[in-house]
PDB file of all heavy atoms in Angstrom:
ATOM      1  N   VAL A 248     -29.633   8.506 -30.487  1.00  0.00           N
ATOM      2  CA  VAL A 248     -29.943   8.637 -29.065  1.00  0.00           C
ATOM      3  C   VAL A 248     -28.652   8.608 -28.258  1.00  0.00           C
ATOM      4  O   VAL A 248     -27.696   7.907 -28.598  1.00  0.00           O
ATOM      5  CB  VAL A 248     -30.904   7.526 -28.595  1.00  0.00           C
ATOM      6  CG1 VAL A 248     -32.276   7.708 -29.235  1.00  0.00           C
ATOM      7  CG2 VAL A 248     -30.360   6.136 -28.915  1.00  0.00           C
ATOM      8  N   ASP A 249     -28.649   9.381 -27.187  1.00  0.00           N
ATOM      9  CA  ASP A 249     -27.458   9.512 -26.339  1.00  0.00           C
ATOM     10  C   ASP A 249     -27.490   8.439 -25.256  1.00  0.00           C
ATOM     11  O   ASP A 249     -28.021   8.657 -24.156  1.00  0.00           O
ATOM     12  CB  ASP A 249     -27.421  10.916 -25.722  1.00  0.00           C
ATOM     13  CG  ASP A 249     -26.155  11.151 -24.918  1.00  0.00           C
ATOM     14  OD1 ASP A 249     -25.175  10.398 -25.114  1.00  0.00           O
ATOM     15  OD2 ASP A 249     -26.150  12.081 -24.092  1.00  0.00           O
ATOM     16  N   VAL A 250     -26.946   7.273 -25.555  1.00  0.00           N
ATOM     17  CA  VAL A 250     -26.906   6.153 -24.619  1.00  0.00           C
ATOM     18  C   VAL A 250     -25.500   5.544 -24.637  1.00  0.00           C
ATOM     19  O   VAL A 250     -24.694   5.839 -25.512  1.00  0.00           O
ATOM     20  CB  VAL A 250     -27.950   5.077 -24.986  1.00  0.00           C
ATOM     21  CG1 VAL A 250     -29.359   5.643 -24.908  1.00  0.00           C
ATOM     22  CG2 VAL A 250     -27.686   4.506 -26.388  1.00  0.00           C
ATOM     23  N   ASP A 251     -25.239   4.685 -23.646  1.00  0.00           N
ATOM     24  CA  ASP A 251     -23.966   3.975 -23.634  1.00  0.00           C
ATOM     25  C   ASP A 251     -24.043   2.822 -24.635  1.00  0.00           C
ATOM     26  O   ASP A 251     -24.793   1.861 -24.441  1.00  0.00           O
ATOM     27  CB  ASP A 251     -23.675   3.442 -22.227  1.00  0.00           C
ATOM     28  CG  ASP A 251     -22.354   2.689 -22.179  1.00  0.00           C
ATOM     29  OD1 ASP A 251     -21.303   3.327 -22.267  1.00  0.00           O
ATOM     30  OD2 ASP A 251     -22.391   1.437 -22.093  1.00  0.00           O
ATOM     31  N   TYR A 252     -23.265   2.922 -25.692  1.00  0.00           N
ATOM     32  CA  TYR A 252     -23.377   1.993 -26.818  1.00  0.00           C
ATOM     33  C   TYR A 252     -23.108   0.548 -26.406  1.00  0.00           C
ATOM     34  O   TYR A 252     -23.806  -0.380 -26.840  1.00  0.00           O
ATOM     35  CB  TYR A 252     -22.402   2.408 -27.918  1.00  0.00           C
ATOM     36  CG  TYR A 252     -22.504   1.579 -29.180  1.00  0.00           C
ATOM     37  CD1 TYR A 252     -23.477   1.859 -30.130  1.00  0.00           C
ATOM     38  CD2 TYR A 252     -21.635   0.518 -29.411  1.00  0.00           C
ATOM     39  CE1 TYR A 252     -23.592   1.105 -31.291  1.00  0.00           C
ATOM     40  CE2 TYR A 252     -21.732  -0.247 -30.565  1.00  0.00           C
ATOM     41  CZ  TYR A 252     -22.708   0.040 -31.500  1.00  0.00           C
ATOM     42  OH  TYR A 252     -22.815  -0.712 -32.644  1.00  0.00           O
ATOM     43  N   GLN A 253     -22.108   0.334 -25.580  1.00  0.00           N
ATOM     44  CA  GLN A 253     -21.686  -1.026 -25.257  1.00  0.00           C
ATOM     45  C   GLN A 253     -22.705  -1.777 -24.402  1.00  0.00           C
ATOM     46  O   GLN A 253     -22.830  -2.998 -24.508  1.00  0.00           O
ATOM     47  CB  GLN A 253     -20.332  -0.998 -24.537  1.00  0.00           C
ATOM     48  CG  GLN A 253     -19.196  -0.412 -25.368  1.00  0.00           C
ATOM     49  CD  GLN A 253     -18.969  -1.178 -26.658  1.00  0.00           C
ATOM     50  OE1 GLN A 253     -19.118  -2.403 -26.698  1.00  0.00           O
ATOM     51  NE2 GLN A 253     -18.608  -0.473 -27.721  1.00  0.00           N
ATOM     52  N   THR A 254     -23.449  -1.072 -23.553  1.00  0.00           N
ATOM     53  CA  THR A 254     -24.367  -1.757 -22.627  1.00  0.00           C
ATOM     54  C   THR A 254     -25.839  -1.552 -22.962  1.00  0.00           C
ATOM     55  O   THR A 254     -26.709  -2.073 -22.267  1.00  0.00           O
ATOM     56  CB  THR A 254     -24.120  -1.272 -21.185  1.00  0.00           C
ATOM     57  OG1 THR A 254     -24.363   0.150 -21.105  1.00  0.00           O
ATOM     58  CG2 THR A 254     -22.689  -1.571 -20.764  1.00  0.00           C
ATOM     59  N   PHE A 255     -26.106  -0.812 -24.021  1.00  0.00           N
ATOM     60  CA  PHE A 255     -27.504  -0.498 -24.329  1.00  0.00           C
ATOM     61  C   PHE A 255     -28.272  -1.721 -24.814  1.00  0.00           C
ATOM     62  O   PHE A 255     -27.758  -2.544 -25.581  1.00  0.00           O
ATOM     63  CB  PHE A 255     -27.576   0.584 -25.405  1.00  0.00           C
ATOM     64  CG  PHE A 255     -28.978   0.988 -25.755  1.00  0.00           C
ATOM     65  CD1 PHE A 255     -29.703   1.825 -24.939  1.00  0.00           C
ATOM     66  CD2 PHE A 255     -29.597   0.498 -26.907  1.00  0.00           C
ATOM     67  CE1 PHE A 255     -31.007   2.192 -25.259  1.00  0.00           C
ATOM     68  CE2 PHE A 255     -30.892   0.857 -27.240  1.00  0.00           C
ATOM     69  CZ  PHE A 255     -31.596   1.705 -26.402  1.00  0.00           C
ATOM     70  N   GLU A 256     -29.534  -1.831 -24.368  1.00  0.00           N
ATOM     71  CA  GLU A 256     -30.434  -2.888 -24.847  1.00  0.00           C
ATOM     72  C   GLU A 256     -31.879  -2.423 -24.760  1.00  0.00           C
ATOM     73  O   GLU A 256     -32.248  -1.637 -23.884  1.00  0.00           O
ATOM     74  CB  GLU A 256     -30.256  -4.178 -24.039  1.00  0.00           C
ATOM     75  CG  GLU A 256     -30.600  -4.057 -22.563  1.00  0.00           C
ATOM     76  CD  GLU A 256     -30.513  -5.385 -21.832  1.00  0.00           C
ATOM     77  OE1 GLU A 256     -31.301  -6.302 -22.158  1.00  0.00           O
ATOM     78  OE2 GLU A 256     -29.646  -5.493 -20.937  1.00  0.00           O
ATOM     79  N   VAL A 257     -32.690  -2.895 -25.670  1.00  0.00           N
ATOM     80  CA  VAL A 257     -34.131  -2.626 -25.635  1.00  0.00           C
ATOM     81  C   VAL A 257     -34.783  -3.726 -24.805  1.00  0.00           C
ATOM     82  O   VAL A 257     -34.593  -4.910 -25.073  1.00  0.00           O
ATOM     83  CB  VAL A 257     -34.720  -2.607 -27.058  1.00  0.00           C
ATOM     84  CG1 VAL A 257     -36.228  -2.377 -26.999  1.00  0.00           C
ATOM     85  CG2 VAL A 257     -34.050  -1.529 -27.896  1.00  0.00           C
ATOM     86  N   ILE A 258     -35.539  -3.322 -23.760  1.00  0.00           N
ATOM     87  CA  ILE A 258     -36.169  -4.307 -22.874  1.00  0.00           C
ATOM     88  C   ILE A 258     -37.475  -4.801 -23.466  1.00  0.00           C
ATOM     89  O   ILE A 258     -37.711  -6.003 -23.575  1.00  0.00           O
ATOM     90  CB  ILE A 258     -36.407  -3.704 -21.474  1.00  0.00           C
ATOM     91  CG1 ILE A 258     -35.094  -3.180 -20.881  1.00  0.00           C
ATOM     92  CG2 ILE A 258     -37.031  -4.745 -20.560  1.00  0.00           C
ATOM     93  CD1 ILE A 258     -35.269  -2.462 -19.555  1.00  0.00           C
ATOM     94  N   ASN A 259     -38.349  -3.883 -23.826  1.00  0.00           N
ATOM     95  CA  ASN A 259     -39.635  -4.247 -24.459  1.00  0.00           C
ATOM     96  C   ASN A 259     -40.130  -3.051 -25.262  1.00  0.00           C
ATOM     97  O   ASN A 259     -39.356  -2.143 -25.576  1.00  0.00           O
ATOM     98  CB  ASN A 259     -40.656  -4.730 -23.422  1.00  0.00           C
ATOM     99  CG  ASN A 259     -41.015  -3.666 -22.397  1.00  0.00           C
ATOM    100  OD1 ASN A 259     -40.723  -2.482 -22.557  1.00  0.00           O
ATOM    101  ND2 ASN A 259     -41.642  -4.078 -21.312  1.00  0.00           N
ATOM    102  N   GLU A 260     -41.390  -3.015 -25.582  1.00  0.00           N
ATOM    103  CA  GLU A 260     -41.920  -1.957 -26.447  1.00  0.00           C
ATOM    104  C   GLU A 260     -41.936  -0.586 -25.790  1.00  0.00           C
ATOM    105  O   GLU A 260     -42.097   0.419 -26.476  1.00  0.00           O
ATOM    106  CB  GLU A 260     -43.333  -2.329 -26.903  1.00  0.00           C
ATOM    107  CG  GLU A 260     -43.387  -3.544 -27.819  1.00  0.00           C
ATOM    108  CD  GLU A 260     -44.802  -3.903 -28.232  1.00  0.00           C
ATOM    109  OE1 GLU A 260     -45.741  -3.219 -27.756  1.00  0.00           O
ATOM    110  OE2 GLU A 260     -44.971  -4.860 -29.012  1.00  0.00           O
ATOM    111  N   HIS A 261     -41.776  -0.537 -24.453  1.00  0.00           N
ATOM    112  CA  HIS A 261     -41.901   0.735 -23.745  1.00  0.00           C
ATOM    113  C   HIS A 261     -40.658   1.141 -22.951  1.00  0.00           C
ATOM    114  O   HIS A 261     -40.600   2.267 -22.448  1.00  0.00           O
ATOM    115  CB  HIS A 261     -43.102   0.678 -22.793  1.00  0.00           C
ATOM    116  CG  HIS A 261     -44.402   0.413 -23.477  1.00  0.00           C
ATOM    117  ND1 HIS A 261     -45.111   1.388 -24.129  1.00  0.00           N
ATOM    118  CD2 HIS A 261     -45.115  -0.732 -23.633  1.00  0.00           C
ATOM    119  CE1 HIS A 261     -46.205   0.863 -24.655  1.00  0.00           C
ATOM    120  NE2 HIS A 261     -46.226  -0.417 -24.374  1.00  0.00           N
ATOM    121  N   PHE A 262     -39.681   0.245 -22.840  1.00  0.00           N
ATOM    122  CA  PHE A 262     -38.511   0.532 -22.017  1.00  0.00           C
ATOM    123  C   PHE A 262     -37.229   0.047 -22.689  1.00  0.00           C
ATOM    124  O   PHE A 262     -37.226  -0.948 -23.418  1.00  0.00           O
ATOM    125  CB  PHE A 262     -38.630  -0.164 -20.653  1.00  0.00           C
ATOM    126  CG  PHE A 262     -39.789   0.280 -19.812  1.00  0.00           C
ATOM    127  CD1 PHE A 262     -41.024  -0.361 -19.917  1.00  0.00           C
ATOM    128  CD2 PHE A 262     -39.656   1.328 -18.915  1.00  0.00           C
ATOM    129  CE1 PHE A 262     -42.102   0.037 -19.133  1.00  0.00           C
ATOM    130  CE2 PHE A 262     -40.733   1.736 -18.131  1.00  0.00           C
ATOM    131  CZ  PHE A 262     -41.951   1.092 -18.236  1.00  0.00           C
ATOM    132  N   ALA A 263     -36.137   0.764 -22.408  1.00  0.00           N
ATOM    133  CA  ALA A 263     -34.796   0.352 -22.815  1.00  0.00           C
ATOM    134  C   ALA A 263     -33.847   0.755 -21.686  1.00  0.00           C
ATOM    135  O   ALA A 263     -34.209   1.528 -20.795  1.00  0.00           O
ATOM    136  CB  ALA A 263     -34.401   1.009 -24.132  1.00  0.00           C
ATOM    137  N   LYS A 264     -32.607   0.249 -21.722  1.00  0.00           N
ATOM    138  CA  LYS A 264     -31.671   0.602 -20.653  1.00  0.00           C
ATOM    139  C   LYS A 264     -30.230   0.475 -21.124  1.00  0.00           C
ATOM    140  O   LYS A 264     -29.923  -0.188 -22.113  1.00  0.00           O
ATOM    141  CB  LYS A 264     -31.895  -0.292 -19.437  1.00  0.00           C
ATOM    142  CG  LYS A 264     -31.415  -1.733 -19.596  1.00  0.00           C
ATOM    143  CD  LYS A 264     -31.519  -2.489 -18.281  1.00  0.00           C
ATOM    144  CE  LYS A 264     -30.942  -3.908 -18.409  1.00  0.00           C
ATOM    145  NZ  LYS A 264     -30.949  -4.621 -17.112  1.00  0.00           N
ATOM    146  N   ASP A 265     -29.339   1.151 -20.398  1.00  0.00           N
ATOM    147  CA  ASP A 265     -27.908   0.912 -20.489  1.00  0.00           C
ATOM    148  C   ASP A 265     -27.397   0.826 -19.052  1.00  0.00           C
ATOM    149  O   ASP A 265     -28.190   0.717 -18.105  1.00  0.00           O
ATOM    150  CB  ASP A 265     -27.208   1.993 -21.320  1.00  0.00           C
ATOM    151  CG  ASP A 265     -27.355   3.389 -20.742  1.00  0.00           C
ATOM    152  OD1 ASP A 265     -27.702   3.526 -19.546  1.00  0.00           O
ATOM    153  OD2 ASP A 265     -27.126   4.362 -21.474  1.00  0.00           O
ATOM    154  N   LYS A 266     -26.081   0.876 -18.852  1.00  0.00           N
ATOM    155  CA  LYS A 266     -25.533   0.715 -17.505  1.00  0.00           C
ATOM    156  C   LYS A 266     -25.890   1.883 -16.580  1.00  0.00           C
ATOM    157  O   LYS A 266     -25.785   1.767 -15.352  1.00  0.00           O
ATOM    158  CB  LYS A 266     -24.019   0.567 -17.577  1.00  0.00           C
ATOM    159  CG  LYS A 266     -23.293   1.821 -18.043  1.00  0.00           C
ATOM    160  CD  LYS A 266     -21.782   1.629 -18.037  1.00  0.00           C
ATOM    161  CE  LYS A 266     -21.056   2.923 -18.433  1.00  0.00           C
ATOM    162  NZ  LYS A 266     -19.605   2.757 -18.404  1.00  0.00           N
ATOM    163  N   ASN A 267     -26.326   2.992 -17.176  1.00  0.00           N
ATOM    164  CA  ASN A 267     -26.566   4.201 -16.387  1.00  0.00           C
ATOM    165  C   ASN A 267     -28.036   4.483 -16.097  1.00  0.00           C
ATOM    166  O   ASN A 267     -28.365   4.992 -15.022  1.00  0.00           O
ATOM    167  CB  ASN A 267     -25.975   5.413 -17.113  1.00  0.00           C
ATOM    168  CG  ASN A 267     -24.497   5.259 -17.376  1.00  0.00           C
ATOM    169  OD1 ASN A 267     -23.727   4.903 -16.481  1.00  0.00           O
ATOM    170  ND2 ASN A 267     -24.084   5.514 -18.620  1.00  0.00           N
ATOM    171  N   LYS A 268     -28.902   4.166 -17.052  1.00  0.00           N
ATOM    172  CA  LYS A 268     -30.294   4.595 -16.938  1.00  0.00           C
ATOM    173  C   LYS A 268     -31.249   3.578 -17.558  1.00  0.00           C
ATOM    174  O   LYS A 268     -30.870   2.793 -18.427  1.00  0.00           O
ATOM    175  CB  LYS A 268     -30.504   5.939 -17.658  1.00  0.00           C
ATOM    176  CG  LYS A 268     -29.904   7.153 -16.967  1.00  0.00           C
ATOM    177  CD  LYS A 268     -30.719   7.546 -15.731  1.00  0.00           C
ATOM    178  CE  LYS A 268     -30.184   8.801 -15.086  1.00  0.00           C
ATOM    179  NZ  LYS A 268     -30.982   9.198 -13.903  1.00  0.00           N
ATOM    180  N   VAL A 269     -32.508   3.651 -17.111  1.00  0.00           N
ATOM    181  CA  VAL A 269     -33.609   3.003 -17.812  1.00  0.00           C
ATOM    182  C   VAL A 269     -34.378   4.109 -18.523  1.00  0.00           C
ATOM    183  O   VAL A 269     -34.657   5.169 -17.935  1.00  0.00           O
ATOM    184  CB  VAL A 269     -34.545   2.241 -16.843  1.00  0.00           C
ATOM    185  CG1 VAL A 269     -35.786   1.731 -17.592  1.00  0.00           C
ATOM    186  CG2 VAL A 269     -33.804   1.076 -16.209  1.00  0.00           C
ATOM    187  N   TYR A 270     -34.704   3.871 -19.791  1.00  0.00           N
ATOM    188  CA  TYR A 270     -35.327   4.908 -20.621  1.00  0.00           C
ATOM    189  C   TYR A 270     -36.767   4.525 -20.967  1.00  0.00           C
ATOM    190  O   TYR A 270     -37.065   3.361 -21.260  1.00  0.00           O
ATOM    191  CB  TYR A 270     -34.528   5.112 -21.907  1.00  0.00           C
ATOM    192  CG  TYR A 270     -33.074   5.429 -21.659  1.00  0.00           C
ATOM    193  CD1 TYR A 270     -32.112   4.417 -21.644  1.00  0.00           C
ATOM    194  CD2 TYR A 270     -32.664   6.738 -21.429  1.00  0.00           C
ATOM    195  CE1 TYR A 270     -30.781   4.704 -21.402  1.00  0.00           C
ATOM    196  CE2 TYR A 270     -31.325   7.039 -21.188  1.00  0.00           C
ATOM    197  CZ  TYR A 270     -30.386   6.010 -21.177  1.00  0.00           C
ATOM    198  OH  TYR A 270     -29.066   6.294 -20.930  1.00  0.00           O
ATOM    199  N   LEU A 271     -37.637   5.523 -20.947  1.00  0.00           N
ATOM    200  CA  LEU A 271     -39.028   5.358 -21.363  1.00  0.00           C
ATOM    201  C   LEU A 271     -39.110   5.701 -22.840  1.00  0.00           C
ATOM    202  O   LEU A 271     -38.599   6.741 -23.266  1.00  0.00           O
ATOM    203  CB  LEU A 271     -39.943   6.276 -20.553  1.00  0.00           C
ATOM    204  CG  LEU A 271     -39.671   6.366 -19.040  1.00  0.00           C
ATOM    205  CD1 LEU A 271     -40.639   7.348 -18.382  1.00  0.00           C
ATOM    206  CD2 LEU A 271     -39.750   4.995 -18.388  1.00  0.00           C
ATOM    207  N   LEU A 272     -39.759   4.846 -23.605  1.00  0.00           N
ATOM    208  CA  LEU A 272     -39.790   5.033 -25.055  1.00  0.00           C
ATOM    209  C   LEU A 272     -41.068   5.747 -25.485  1.00  0.00           C
ATOM    210  O   LEU A 272     -42.162   5.181 -25.441  1.00  0.00           O
ATOM    211  CB  LEU A 272     -39.701   3.674 -25.759  1.00  0.00           C
ATOM    212  CG  LEU A 272     -38.496   2.794 -25.378  1.00  0.00           C
ATOM    213  CD1 LEU A 272     -38.495   1.521 -26.216  1.00  0.00           C
ATOM    214  CD2 LEU A 272     -37.196   3.551 -25.551  1.00  0.00           C
ATOM    215  N   LYS A 273     -40.908   7.005 -25.889  1.00  0.00           N
ATOM    216  CA  LYS A 273     -42.004   7.721 -26.531  1.00  0.00           C
ATOM    217  C   LYS A 273     -41.974   7.382 -28.021  1.00  0.00           C
ATOM    218  O   LYS A 273     -41.156   6.587 -28.477  1.00  0.00           O
ATOM    219  CB  LYS A 273     -41.861   9.212 -26.291  1.00  0.00           C
ATOM    220  CG  LYS A 273     -41.948   9.616 -24.822  1.00  0.00           C
ATOM    221  CD  LYS A 273     -41.948  11.120 -24.647  1.00  0.00           C
ATOM    222  CE  LYS A 273     -43.158  11.761 -25.283  1.00  0.00           C
ATOM    223  NZ  LYS A 273     -43.287  13.209 -25.008  1.00  0.00           N
ATOM    224  N   SER A 274     -42.830   8.010 -28.786  1.00  0.00           N
ATOM    225  CA  SER A 274     -42.907   7.688 -30.210  1.00  0.00           C
ATOM    226  C   SER A 274     -41.608   8.012 -30.935  1.00  0.00           C
ATOM    227  O   SER A 274     -41.169   7.265 -31.799  1.00  0.00           O
ATOM    228  CB  SER A 274     -44.062   8.447 -30.871  1.00  0.00           C
ATOM    229  OG  SER A 274     -45.289   8.037 -30.324  1.00  0.00           O
ATOM    230  N   PHE A 275     -40.964   9.137 -30.568  1.00  0.00           N
ATOM    231  CA  PHE A 275     -39.771   9.559 -31.292  1.00  0.00           C
ATOM    232  C   PHE A 275     -38.651  10.056 -30.379  1.00  0.00           C
ATOM    233  O   PHE A 275     -37.723  10.692 -30.851  1.00  0.00           O
ATOM    234  CB  PHE A 275     -40.135  10.656 -32.306  1.00  0.00           C
ATOM    235  CG  PHE A 275     -41.126  10.208 -33.328  1.00  0.00           C
ATOM    236  CD1 PHE A 275     -42.465  10.524 -33.203  1.00  0.00           C
ATOM    237  CD2 PHE A 275     -40.721   9.447 -34.411  1.00  0.00           C
ATOM    238  CE1 PHE A 275     -43.394  10.098 -34.152  1.00  0.00           C
ATOM    239  CE2 PHE A 275     -41.643   9.015 -35.357  1.00  0.00           C
ATOM    240  CZ  PHE A 275     -42.977   9.342 -35.224  1.00  0.00           C
ATOM    241  N   SER A 276     -38.733   9.756 -29.095  1.00  0.00           N
ATOM    242  CA  SER A 276     -37.690  10.197 -28.179  1.00  0.00           C
ATOM    243  C   SER A 276     -37.648   9.300 -26.949  1.00  0.00           C
ATOM    244  O   SER A 276     -38.565   8.504 -26.709  1.00  0.00           O
ATOM    245  CB  SER A 276     -37.916  11.657 -27.756  1.00  0.00           C
ATOM    246  OG  SER A 276     -39.146  11.787 -27.065  1.00  0.00           O
ATOM    247  N   LEU A 277     -36.574   9.442 -26.166  1.00  0.00           N
ATOM    248  CA  LEU A 277     -36.387   8.678 -24.943  1.00  0.00           C
ATOM    249  C   LEU A 277     -36.446   9.612 -23.741  1.00  0.00           C
ATOM    250  O   LEU A 277     -35.965  10.752 -23.802  1.00  0.00           O
ATOM    251  CB  LEU A 277     -35.028   7.969 -24.946  1.00  0.00           C
ATOM    252  CG  LEU A 277     -34.903   6.620 -25.656  1.00  0.00           C
ATOM    253  CD1 LEU A 277     -35.261   6.717 -27.130  1.00  0.00           C
ATOM    254  CD2 LEU A 277     -33.481   6.066 -25.491  1.00  0.00           C
ATOM    255  N   ILE A 278     -37.014   9.133 -22.637  1.00  0.00           N
ATOM    256  CA  ILE A 278     -37.034   9.880 -21.386  1.00  0.00           C
ATOM    257  C   ILE A 278     -36.256   9.074 -20.352  1.00  0.00           C
ATOM    258  O   ILE A 278     -36.575   7.902 -20.093  1.00  0.00           O
ATOM    259  CB  ILE A 278     -38.473  10.109 -20.879  1.00  0.00           C
ATOM    260  CG1 ILE A 278     -39.312  10.853 -21.911  1.00  0.00           C
ATOM    261  CG2 ILE A 278     -38.455  10.868 -19.559  1.00  0.00           C
ATOM    262  CD1 ILE A 278     -40.780  10.991 -21.507  1.00  0.00           C
ATOM    263  N   ALA A 279     -35.227   9.672 -19.750  1.00  0.00           N
ATOM    264  CA  ALA A 279     -34.464   8.988 -18.705  1.00  0.00           C
ATOM    265  C   ALA A 279     -35.297   8.921 -17.426  1.00  0.00           C
ATOM    266  O   ALA A 279     -35.984   9.877 -17.062  1.00  0.00           O
ATOM    267  CB  ALA A 279     -33.154   9.729 -18.454  1.00  0.00           C
ATOM    268  N   SER A 280     -35.238   7.768 -16.733  1.00  0.00           N
ATOM    269  CA  SER A 280     -36.024   7.570 -15.519  1.00  0.00           C
ATOM    270  C   SER A 280     -35.105   7.222 -14.347  1.00  0.00           C
ATOM    271  O   SER A 280     -33.892   7.073 -14.508  1.00  0.00           O
ATOM    272  CB  SER A 280     -37.039   6.446 -15.724  1.00  0.00           C
ATOM    273  OG  SER A 280     -36.379   5.179 -15.708  1.00  0.00           O
ATOM    274  N   ASP A 281     -35.695   7.064 -13.161  1.00  0.00           N
ATOM    275  CA  ASP A 281     -34.949   6.685 -11.962  1.00  0.00           C
ATOM    276  C   ASP A 281     -35.060   5.192 -11.655  1.00  0.00           C
ATOM    277  O   ASP A 281     -34.664   4.748 -10.580  1.00  0.00           O
ATOM    278  CB  ASP A 281     -35.460   7.492 -10.760  1.00  0.00           C
ATOM    279  CG  ASP A 281     -35.152   8.982 -10.895  1.00  0.00           C
ATOM    280  OD1 ASP A 281     -34.096   9.312 -11.469  1.00  0.00           O
ATOM    281  OD2 ASP A 281     -35.974   9.796 -10.443  1.00  0.00           O
ATOM    282  N   ILE A 282     -35.597   4.412 -12.580  1.00  0.00           N
ATOM    283  CA  ILE A 282     -35.679   2.958 -12.398  1.00  0.00           C
ATOM    284  C   ILE A 282     -34.261   2.389 -12.350  1.00  0.00           C
ATOM    285  O   ILE A 282     -33.367   2.845 -13.062  1.00  0.00           O
ATOM    286  CB  ILE A 282     -36.486   2.331 -13.547  1.00  0.00           C
ATOM    287  CG1 ILE A 282     -37.901   2.920 -13.600  1.00  0.00           C
ATOM    288  CG2 ILE A 282     -36.557   0.818 -13.405  1.00  0.00           C
ATOM    289  CD1 ILE A 282     -38.691   2.529 -14.835  1.00  0.00           C
ATOM    290  N   ASP A 283     -34.045   1.388 -11.498  1.00  0.00           N
ATOM    291  CA  ASP A 283     -32.719   0.807 -11.338  1.00  0.00           C
ATOM    292  C   ASP A 283     -32.314   0.011 -12.581  1.00  0.00           C
ATOM    293  O   ASP A 283     -32.929  -1.023 -12.874  1.00  0.00           O
ATOM    294  CB  ASP A 283     -32.704  -0.108 -10.111  1.00  0.00           C
ATOM    295  CG  ASP A 283     -31.360  -0.779  -9.925  1.00  0.00           C
ATOM    296  OD1 ASP A 283     -30.334  -0.083 -10.000  1.00  0.00           O
ATOM    297  OD2 ASP A 283     -31.328  -2.015  -9.740  1.00  0.00           O
ATOM    298  N   PRO A 284     -31.275   0.452 -13.297  1.00  0.00           N
ATOM    299  CA  PRO A 284     -30.894  -0.238 -14.533  1.00  0.00           C
ATOM    300  C   PRO A 284     -30.244  -1.601 -14.302  1.00  0.00           C
ATOM    301  O   PRO A 284     -30.276  -2.459 -15.180  1.00  0.00           O
ATOM    302  CB  PRO A 284     -29.909   0.736 -15.192  1.00  0.00           C
ATOM    303  CG  PRO A 284     -29.327   1.513 -14.063  1.00  0.00           C
ATOM    304  CD  PRO A 284     -30.427   1.642 -13.054  1.00  0.00           C
ATOM    305  N   VAL A 285     -29.645  -1.802 -13.129  1.00  0.00           N
ATOM    306  CA  VAL A 285     -28.951  -3.061 -12.857  1.00  0.00           C
ATOM    307  C   VAL A 285     -29.933  -4.220 -12.746  1.00  0.00           C
ATOM    308  O   VAL A 285     -29.706  -5.309 -13.295  1.00  0.00           O
ATOM    309  CB  VAL A 285     -28.104  -2.945 -11.570  1.00  0.00           C
ATOM    310  CG1 VAL A 285     -27.456  -4.298 -11.236  1.00  0.00           C
ATOM    311  CG2 VAL A 285     -27.044  -1.865 -11.721  1.00  0.00           C
ATOM    312  N   THR A 286     -31.062  -3.994 -12.083  1.00  0.00           N
ATOM    313  CA  THR A 286     -32.015  -5.086 -11.844  1.00  0.00           C
ATOM    314  C   THR A 286     -33.234  -5.043 -12.765  1.00  0.00           C
ATOM    315  O   THR A 286     -34.058  -5.957 -12.732  1.00  0.00           O
ATOM    316  CB  THR A 286     -32.500  -5.051 -10.387  1.00  0.00           C
ATOM    317  OG1 THR A 286     -33.122  -3.784 -10.116  1.00  0.00           O
ATOM    318  CG2 THR A 286     -31.334  -5.263  -9.439  1.00  0.00           C
TER     319      THR A 286
END
């Protein structure tokens, strides 16, 4: 997956984030969203 390696973290079963984006977790891919990654 194309994410920032140093800041990436999995939030829960449906979301993950790095310093740039919050990602929606589909079964086999990620969708970038407009959710604020800082908060």
Side-chain angles (χ1 to χ4, degrees):
V248 292
D249 184 18
V250 298
D251 180 71
Y252 184 82
Q253 298 301 325
T254 61
F255 181 78
E256 63 175 296
V257 178
I258 304 175
N259 62 14
E260 293 179 358
H261 301 280
F262 298 90
K264 73 173 184 176
D265 61 17
K266 67 178 183 179
N267 302 312
K268 288 286 184 179
V269 173
Y270 305 94
L271 317 178
L272 305 184
K273 297 186 63 173
S274 296
F275 299 100
S276 62
L277 276 59
I278 302 175
S280 74
D281 294 326
I282 301 171
D283 178 47
V285 176
T286 59

